[in-house]
Amino acid sequence: MELIVVGFQGRYRAAQVLTELRQRGVHLFDLDQAITVSWEDRRNFVVQQSINLSREEGSRWARLWGGFIRTTLFQPFTERLSLAATKVAGKESGSTNGHSQEPLTRDWWMADVGIPANFVRDVGALVQPGESAIITLAEKLEPRRAESILRDCGGSLIYTSLSGDQVNKVRRELMTADA
């Protein structure tokens, strides 16, 4: 599995490209759980996530991506992402089926999961104010195909491969307590 970030020039380009990929049925990576992030300016950071209201997983994905954004883009208020997803999904409490809603920290991504420091650095350099990005996972990324398609859309692809142990740690965070 790969952890993927695709950077774009322009605040809205990532959302446009993700919509285009969905409409064209191009499956380079997990389109359903992908999020887009964009910097409006140094103070305003926007995250867009689709939430399936018939499932409770939206808040868990928001928690995962919130921790990733905090780790790579140094956004301190990402716990609001999972709280908003929980509210949108119609859950009033701060937890989902007993699953913790505590924010995932930089230490979780860096020390526990073990994503490389140079990947974290590269993500931070790729997504700057006035720019946007798609963040997602891919089960079977075809790098050359993905790079070609995304380059044609104006994107720059960076990714890191996750080991089986790393994938298991991510999946554990996405499971419900009673699953």
Side-chain angles (χ1 to χ4, degrees):
M1 179 179 286
E2 284 75 33
L3 178 57
I4 299 169
V5 178
V6 185
F8 297 92
Q9 294 291 315
R11 297 184 308 192
Y12 308 108
R13 187 65 184 143
Q16 291 168 336
V17 169
L18 186 56
T19 299
E20 289 172 20
L21 293 173
R22 286 177 174 146
Q23 289 173 340
R24 293 179 14 207
V26 177
H27 296 286
L28 300 174
F29 40 71
D30 187 345
L31 297 174
D32 293 332
Q33 303 307 335
I35 64 168
T36 62
V37 297
S38 63
W39 284 93
E40 292 185 0
D41 53 44
R42 285 251 175 237
R43 292 177 298 152
N44 296 308
F45 189 80
V46 177
V47 177
Q48 295 178 328
Q49 175 188 12
S50 296
I51 299 172
N52 183 337
L53 295 177
S54 66
R55 299 183 183 161
E56 294 181 359
E57 64 190 22
S59 61
R60 293 188 303 276
W61 278 99
R63 182 171 173 264
L64 182 82
W65 293 136
F68 182 76
I69 293 165
R70 176 180 288 198
T71 300
T72 58
L73 301 175
F74 307 104
Q75 289 298 308
F77 304 109
T78 56
E79 68 274 1
R80 292 179 184 162
L81 179 61
S82 58
L83 291 174
T86 300
K87 286 182 180 180
V88 168
K91 308 298 175 210
E92 295 299 322
S93 69
S95 68
T96 304
N97 285 342
H99 194 272
S100 171
Q101 287 297 307
E102 290 296 315
L104 292 175
T105 65
R106 181 178 178 86
D107 285 344
W108 184 81
W109 276 104
M110 299 288 294
D112 295 352
V113 175
I115 59 172
N118 62 341
F119 179 71
V120 171
R121 178 203 63 220
D122 292 349
V123 171
L126 183 66
V127 186
Q128 294 293 311
E131 299 174 345
S132 59
I134 296 170
I135 301 173
T136 194
L137 295 169
E139 286 290 335
K140 295 178 183 175
L141 180 68
E142 297 175 34
R144 286 195 175 130
R145 178 175 176 252
E147 287 172 353
S148 175
I149 290 170
L150 295 167
R151 186 177 35 248
D152 289 347
C153 297
S156 299
L157 171 70
I158 59 172
Y159 65 94
T160 188
S161 295
L162 301 178
S163 69
D165 186 47
Q166 290 172 309
V167 170
N168 289 336
K169 288 176 182 178
V170 169
R171 285 187 175 145
R172 270 194 302 272
E173 285 302 320
L174 292 170
M175 292 174 33
T176 59
D178 61 321

